[in-house]
Amino acid sequence: MTGDDPEAFRARREALKARIDPLDKDMIDGGDRGAFFDTVYDMAGGDAAGVPWADLKPKQQLEQWLASNPGNGRTAIDIACGLGDNAEAMAAAGYRTTAFDLAEKAVSWARQRFPGSAVDYQVADLLNPPAGWNGRFDLVHECYTLQAVPPLMLQGMTAAIADLVAPGGTLLVYTRIRPDGSETSGPPWPLQERDAMGFASHGLQLVSRNAFELLRPDRKIPHWFCVWQKPEIG
Ligand SMILES: C[S@@+](CC[C@H](N)C(=O)[O-])C[C@H]1O[C@@H](n2cnc3c(N)ncnc32)[C@H](O)[C@@H]1O
């Protein structure tokens, strides 16, 4: 947490991003995405300005959805939770929430930011989740993980996310989006629309799709926030 004014925070973020970007490209070429995330969290040295995706607040679309869908003690999981803000919102809405990230530093940082949190923060790999997680969660939340991995990994990640959802459960997906067939020079790699719809081939049904743009001084960034449902068994 920084506690300083937004302008100073933004300036530090720009400076730190300039150090991260070349590293990002190198590690893609080297093929080790996990090492990249570890390095970003390490290099930030406790300053969230150094973590380009850290908003230090929950995503607005998630908060709005939670306001009309409280947990009432049901189970939830936040995939690749980063610094924990989305997971905290899920717990505050009454979900018994687990949150995990591959990067140990992210998990320890989240725990430190929210002492006494009701969230069960864990270090885990989406592609090799702990025994007992598959099919267990009434609510699964994915934000910016799919777009953060090379497109070759997309199918496996999509399947692993779908597997976590309990029968009758809900999956929320927040992602940058781009038209099918368009080029991208990630990272991040905004999902093609057909890839974002990939959960349908894992038996999930689309409940709603909110297309919106995040406005930046120099551009607009298209996003989707999708709500999916896994049918009950039988
Ligand atoms: C772009 S960040 C988004 C973090 C967070 N969801 C947010 O919106 O702030 C992507 C996160 O995915 C994590 N990650 C990447 N691959 C993962 C995997 N296989 N299992 C768990 N976490 C992973 C990274 O460590 C990183 O924290």
Side-chain angles (χ1 to χ4, degrees), residues 37 41 53 79-81 100-103 124-126 143-145 148:
F37 289 112
Y41 289 114
W53 49 85
I79 289 168
C81 60
F100 73 99
D101 202 288
L102 190 59
D125 183 351
L126 172 63
C143 174
Y144 282 169
T145 318

Side-chain angles (χ1 to χ4, degrees), residues 35 62 82 94-95 105 111 128 144 162 182 188 196 211 228-229:
L62 171 65
Y95 287 90
K105 184 54 85 51
R111 286 190 186 125
N128 185 21
Y144 282 169
S182 59
W228 295 88
Q229 187 100 40

